[in-house]
Amino acid sequence: MLHSIISRATTIEISDDQGGNDGKVRLITTKDLSAITRYYQRNRQYLQPWEPVREEAFFTESGWQRRLEQLVQLQKHKMAFYFVIQMHDSNEICGVVNYSNVVRYPFFACHVGYSLDEGYQGRGIMPRALAATNQWMFDDQDMHRIIAAYMPRNGRSAAVLKKCGFTIEGEARDYLMINGQWEDHILTAKINDAWIAPLS
């Protein structure tokens, strides 16, 4: 069973069945400029096969300064949420979980994307982080549906989504341009079965 503790600062402590509390996820802030830049610089080649082609500015602090300003505004207006993952023994960012295209009435849904540092693979970090942030989106943001898509050859992403309770709803041809090529994607979603209409 995964446990999470959510503070007013939107920091979620994550732990596994053994009670090992070795990490946290929290909403990104402008103070993360250097750390998020280093994360993408460090994982540039590793993430390249799974992401859209990035402009050079994406790997610079000046580029991320502008992007962070936009993300903070989107979070303020509850239009998107960008979480970073950190281990308690390090100030470095080792992964991200981002929720975009947040739509309220009558859809109450959003899309989720994520990535994890190459050096932290195989430790069960992403399923724990994704499960915790999904629950926050359900409980705090009143989402009814969270949508995720992955390329058929991305077995790790498929395993993460399955472990977090996403179900396959279909397949889309030429869905996203990834690394310069149109790629088919498997479409999945996780439904909030305990959804209650928010007070207006």
Side-chain angles (χ1 to χ4, degrees), residues 67-83:
R67 185 172 173 82
L68 281 177
E69 291 170 356
Q70 295 171 347
L71 287 172
V72 168
Q73 286 301 309
L74 288 171
Q75 290 177 166
K76 178 181 178 181
H77 295 290
K78 298 184 176 181
M79 297 172 66
F81 299 93
Y82 199 100
F83 286 89

Side-chain angles (χ1 to χ4, degrees), residues 60-114:
T60 68
E61 284 199 4
S62 61
W64 265 99
Q65 184 173 11
R66 292 190 295 271
R67 185 172 173 82
L68 281 177
E69 291 170 356
Q70 295 171 347
L71 287 172
V72 168
Q73 286 301 309
L74 288 171
Q75 290 177 166
K76 178 181 178 181
H77 295 290
K78 298 184 176 181
M79 297 172 66
F81 299 93
Y82 199 100
F83 286 89
V84 295
I85 308 171
Q86 291 178 305
M87 297 292 99
H88 287 313
D89 60 358
S90 173
N91 290 323
E92 291 294 330
I93 291 171
C94 68
V96 298
V97 182
N98 56 82
Y99 296 86
S100 60
N101 303 322
V102 177
V103 179
R104 310 289 169 169
Y105 181 86
F107 198 31
F108 293 103
C110 62
H111 289 82
V112 65
Y114 47 85

